[in-house]
Amino acid sequence: MDNAGFCNETYESLHNPASDDELVDVAGATLDFSSTEDVPPLDTEYGSGYGTTGYSNDMTGNGAGSNGKLMDLLDEPVPGVGTYEDFNTIDWVREKSKDRDRHREITSKSEQSTWDLLHSISDAFSGWLLMLLIGLLSGALAGCIDISAHWLTDLKEGVCLSGFWFNHEHCCWGSNQTTFQERDRCPQWQSWAELLGGSSEGAAAYIVNYLMFMLCALLFSFLAVILVRAFAPYACGSGIPEIKTILSGFIIRGYLGKWTLIIKTITLVLAVSSGLSLGKEGPLVHVACCCANILCHLFTKYRQNEAKRREVLSAAAAVGVSVAFGAPIGGVLFSLEEVSYYFPLKTLWRSFFAALVAAFTLRSINPFGNSRLVLFYVEFHTPWHMVELVPFILLGIFGGLWGALFIRANIAWCRRRKTTRLGHYPVLEVLVVTGITALLSFPNSYTRMSGSELISELFNDCSLLDSSQLCDYNSSENRSDSGVFTASLADRAFSNTLPDRPAGPGVYTALWQLALALFFKMLVTVVTFGMKVPSGLFIPSMAVGAIAGRLLGVAMEQMALNHHDWLIVKGWCSSGADCITPGLYAMVGAAACLGGVTRMTISLVVIMFELTGGLEYIVPLMAAIMTSKWVADALGREGIYEAHIRLNGYPFLETKEEYGHKTLAQDVMRPRQSDPLLVVLTQEGMSVGEIEGVIADTDYSGFPVVVSQESQRLVGFVLRRDLVISLDNARKRQEGVVSASLVFFLEHVPPQPFSGPPVVKLRGILDLSPFTVTDHTPMAIAVDIFRKLGLRQCLVTHNGRLLGIITKKDILKHMAQMSNRDPDSILFN
C-alpha cells in the first residue's frame, strides 16, 4: 500500500499536516487543501472524558512497571482513531459495522429508561428531519439563484426605472402602456442607450447597448473568477465529477464546506449572468450537497460516520436536480443512475422526500413568475406519428455524434490547460472567453439571450399569440392560388392554432440565425466548460440539441406542407392539417444531445417529460436518447463526468465498466516477486520504538498483523493513522511508556517482569476481520468485491499464510494498464 499520507509520527502532526501548503490541481484549478471544514475536526483535547486512561492491573504476574497501567483502546476511544486523512478512501465495511454497533447499543438502552427511549426515537427520525432541512435550504438557495440570475442577465441590456431590482419581465408586468405587438417594451424599462443617450434607435444607440452588454459581461465574469480564486477554489467547474468521487468513498476536505457553498452560490449567479455558454443546473447539485454536508454536522449519527454521510449526499444530489429543473422524480433517478455509488432502498425513500420538499419550497418562492415549477413548460396539441421516428432517430444520431465529439474536444482542451502556460492565467482566460462570447453573441438575438430563454423559445409551439420570428408564418390568403383549403381567420383565432403554416420571411431569417447560433454554441461550449468559474453543462448541451431539432422540425414542417402528396407523408399528413410540431423536434434534440454528453438514459427521459410536461412524447424521447447513447458509446465509452474524473486522476472505481481480463489476484498483489518482503507487524514482541521505526521508514497507510515473522499467519490489520495516534497518546497518557515498551495486539497480555517498562495494548485498534482472498482468485471477482463492498484493501493468502495485499489503488492502476492508460495518473494523497 503505497498511499503516501501519514508520514508524520505525532498526533499533532496528523492534525496539522505539513501538506497544508501543498497545492494539487483539481478540475484544472490550483487548490489548497488546508480547509478541513467539511470533516469534523479531531479533538485535540484529551480531557472532557475523551482521554484514554489506563487501568490498574492487580493480577499477579501481569504487572507492567510500578504504575501497573495498560492502555486498551477497546475501553475508551482515542480522539482521531477511526477517522480518515484528506484524499484518502473510506472503508465502507468498517463504517457500516460502526453504525450497526451504534444502532444496536441505542436499541438495547431504549428499554432501560424513558430518556433512552426518546433518544432512540429521535435517532430514528433524525434522517427524515435532516432531509427536510436539506430540502428547505436547497430550495430557498435555488430560488434566490434563479431570481438573481434573471435580474443580472437583464441588467446587461437595461434598467427598470420604477425599481432597479426588477428584471425586464417584472418591470413591465404592472405597466398599462404595454401593447400586444410590443409586449416586452414599456416606459418603465429603458435600455442603456435610452438611459445614457436618450434614444433607442440608430447606430449610436446600438453601439452604446453593445458596449454596455460587453462591459457588464466582463464585470460579472471577472467578479466570479476573482471570488473563486481568492476564497474557494473548489467552487469552480460543475462539481458533479467530484461529487461522484466523494460518493464513491473518497475524501476531499473543504469541497463541501461552508465557504465553498457561499462562494459557489454567489459566483454561479455571476457566471450565468455573464452570458457564458454554461448553466446553473450541474452546480446546483454541488450546492445541494454542500448544504447536506453542513447540516450533517447537526446530527451525531451522520457527523461521525462517513458512510452514513454519503447516503445523505446521494439524496442531496437528487435535491440538486429537483430544484434545478423542477423535476423531483427525475432528480431521484439521476442520483440513482448517474452519481450514487451506494444507494440502499432507505436512501431512495429519503431522496424522494427531500426532492419533494425542495420542489415545494421552490414552488412557494415562484422564481419564474408563472406559478409553475418546471423550467420549460410546453403544450403541444398535435400527436406524433410513427413515420416521425425516423427524424427522431436522426436527432439521436446527431446527439451521439455531438456528445462524443464534445467530450474529446473538451478533454483535449482541459488537458492543454493543465499542461501548458494557459493554466497559469485563469483570470485572463475567463475574461478573454467572456469578451469573445459577448462580442460574437450580441448581434444574434438567439445567442444574446440566456440559455434557458433560448430553449424556451425553441420548445415553444407557435400560436396566434406568439410574436417570435420563428412564428412568422404567411397567412393562408396569400396561398389561395395553390388550391389548399384553409380555415377562416375567425376559426383560427377560436382554436388559437395555425393549421396551414407556410414559412414567412421571419422564419427564414430565424433559421439562418439559428444555424449560426448552432456552430457558435458548439465551439464556445468546448472552451467554456472547465474554466475557473461555476459551469454547468446541462443547458448548453440542451441548447445545441434544441437548435438542431428546431431546424429539422421546421424543415419537416415545410416539406409536409409543400409536398403533402408525397408517399412518405400522404398517409398521415392531410392538406390543411397541422401535422408537424417543430417544438417537439427541439425537445427531442435537446434530450438527445444531453444524453450523448452525459450518457444518461432513464433519468433523462423522466427529467425531460417533467421539464416540459410532455408526457405523451415519452416514446420519441426514449428512441432518441437510446440512439444517442448507442452512437456515443460506439465512439467512446465514457461520459463527460467520467472523462473528467479520469483527467483529474481521481480514484473512482466505475461500477458500469466491465472487467474482461483473465488475471489472478497474485498478478496484482504486492509485493511482487522482485519487491522486498511485505512489511508486517507481529501480535507480540515488537517495541514502541520498532513500530515507530517502521512507520518512519514506510509510507503505507496500513499494516497486516501476523502471529510471528516465521509463521506469517494472519491476525488482523491496523491502519497507520490509528497506530500513530494511539502510540502518541500512549506516550502522553500512560506513565512510563518509552521506546523499549512492548506493544501487544493480544486480548490477554502474558506476564511481564515488574522491572521492565509498562506495555502498550493496542488490540482495540486492530481490525480482526480483514477481507481476504486467495492468490488464485480471479481479478474479475476481486474487482467486483471492491466495487460492491467499497473496500480499501484486501489481503491475499495461500493456505492461511499471508502473501500480499491488494489496495484500491492497485486495482485502479491494474485496470489502467489493461486499458493502455498511464497508471501513475491516478491521484491518491
Side-chain angles (χ1 to χ4, degrees), residues 341-588:
Y341 200 83
Y342 175 68
F343 203 85
L345 189 60
K346 177 174 58 178
T347 303
L348 179 68
W349 301 335
R350 291 180 176 176
S351 300
F352 183 77
F353 173 69
L356 171 67
V357 173
F360 174 78
T361 305
L362 188 66
R363 171 65 180 80
S364 303
I365 296 174
N366 192 20
F368 308 122
N370 55 8
S371 299
R372 292 192 178 101
L373 176 63
V374 297
L375 187 57
F376 311 113
Y377 180 77
V378 298
E379 195 170 352
F380 300 140
H381 303 283
T382 307
W384 62 278
H385 303 271
M386 289 297 295
V387 181
E388 289 184 279
L389 281 177
V390 175
F392 293 153
I393 290 175
L394 289 177
L395 286 174
I397 295 173
F398 172 79
L401 293 173
W402 153 245
L405 174 65
F406 170 79
I407 291 171
R408 292 191 179 187
N410 180 253
I411 293 299
W413 180 259
C414 290
R415 184 175 289 111
R416 182 177 180 82
R417 180 187 291 130
K418 292 168 69 73
T419 57
T420 64
R421 293 175 59 86
L422 178 63
H424 299 162
Y425 307 100
V427 178
L428 182 61
E429 181 192 9
V430 170
L431 291 178
V432 169
V433 173
T434 304
I436 294 174
T437 302
L439 181 68
L440 298 178
S441 64
F442 185 84
N444 189 337
S445 60
Y446 292 108
T447 53
R448 187 191 315 169
M449 63 179 66
S450 66
S452 300
E453 189 179 355
L454 172 62
I455 295 172
S456 297
E457 177 98 355
L458 296 170
F459 282 5
N460 182 40
D461 186 28
C462 292
S463 67
L464 288 177
L465 300 178
D466 286 307
S467 59
S468 169
Q469 269 191 318
L470 283 169
C471 299
D472 182 22
Y473 292 98
N474 290 330
S475 62
S476 59
E477 286 78 6
N478 296 337
R479 288 179 50 85
S480 57
D481 56 340
S482 65
V484 177
F485 174 78
T486 56
S488 66
L489 187 61
D491 292 337
R492 292 184 186 182
F494 178 76
S495 64
N496 195 31
T497 59
L498 299 173
D500 195 9
R501 308 197 292 193
V507 173
Y508 289 115
T509 301
L511 290 181
W512 71 260
Q513 288 181 340
L514 283 175
L516 293 176
L518 177 62
F519 289 106
F520 173 76
K521 286 284 185 183
M522 292 172 69
L523 292 175
V524 77
T525 306
V526 169
V527 298
T528 302
F529 187 69
M531 290 197 309
K532 309 307 180 290
V533 292
S535 55
L537 197 58
F538 281 42
I539 290 297
S541 300
M542 291 178 65
V544 169
I547 295 173
R550 188 75 185 204
L551 292 174
L552 181 60
V554 173
M556 289 290 296
E557 178 191 48
Q558 297 307 305
M559 182 197 74
L561 173 68
N562 295 302
H563 305 283
H564 56 80
D565 55 341
W566 282 9
L567 182 62
I568 192 174
V569 296
K570 189 174 183 179
W572 56 275
C573 194
S574 59
S575 60
D578 182 14
C579 55
I580 297 289
T581 306
L584 172 60
Y585 284 75
M587 185 174 76
V588 172

Side-chain angles (χ1 to χ4, degrees), residues 29 42 69 137 304-305 356 411 422 434 513 595 681 743 781:
L42 303 180
K69 289 184 179 181
L137 181 56
Q304 296 182 352
N305 193 290
L356 171 67
I411 293 299
L422 178 63
T434 304
Q513 288 181 340
L681 306 179
V743 176
I781 296 177

Side-chain angles (χ1 to χ4, degrees), residues 213-393:
F213 182 88
M214 290 190 61
L215 184 62
C216 291
L218 290 170
L219 176 62
F220 295 159
S221 63
F222 176 74
L223 291 175
V225 69
I226 285 297
L227 288 174
V228 167
R229 186 174 175 83
F231 297 103
Y234 281 148
C236 69
S238 166
I240 293 182
E242 287 76 17
I243 295 297
K244 289 189 67 171
T245 307
I246 291 172
L247 289 179
S248 74
F250 202 53
I251 291 178
I252 308 178
R253 289 190 179 178
Y255 197 83
L256 301 177
K258 58 181 180 296
W259 273 111
T260 304
L261 173 63
I262 294 171
I263 298 302
K264 186 133 194 174
T265 302
I266 297 172
T267 55
L268 180 56
V269 174
L270 293 168
V272 171
S273 304
S274 67
L276 287 167
S277 183
L278 48 83
K280 60 181 182 296
E281 285 66 29
L284 277 176
V285 174
H286 188 186
V287 168
C289 287
C290 287
C291 295
N293 185 74
I294 293 169
L295 292 172
C296 276
H297 291 178
L298 301 177
F299 302 88
T300 305
K301 177 167 67 172
Y302 298 102
R303 183 175 66 247
Q304 296 182 352
N305 193 290
E306 293 288 349
K308 296 294 291 181
R309 193 186 308 189
R310 274 151 182 78
E311 294 180 18
V312 176
L313 295 179
S314 293
V319 171
V321 175
S322 175
V323 296
F325 291 114
I329 301 176
V332 175
L333 292 176
F334 171 81
S335 178
L336 174 61
E337 179 184 4
E338 187 61 27
V339 298
S340 293
Y341 200 83
Y342 175 68
F343 203 85
L345 189 60
K346 177 174 58 178
T347 303
L348 179 68
W349 301 335
R350 291 180 176 176
S351 300
F352 183 77
F353 173 69
L356 171 67
V357 173
F360 174 78
T361 305
L362 188 66
R363 171 65 180 80
S364 303
I365 296 174
N366 192 20
F368 308 122
N370 55 8
S371 299
R372 292 192 178 101
L373 176 63
V374 297
L375 187 57
F376 311 113
Y377 180 77
V378 298
E379 195 170 352
F380 300 140
H381 303 283
T382 307
W384 62 278
H385 303 271
M386 289 297 295
V387 181
E388 289 184 279
L389 281 177
V390 175
F392 293 153
I393 290 175

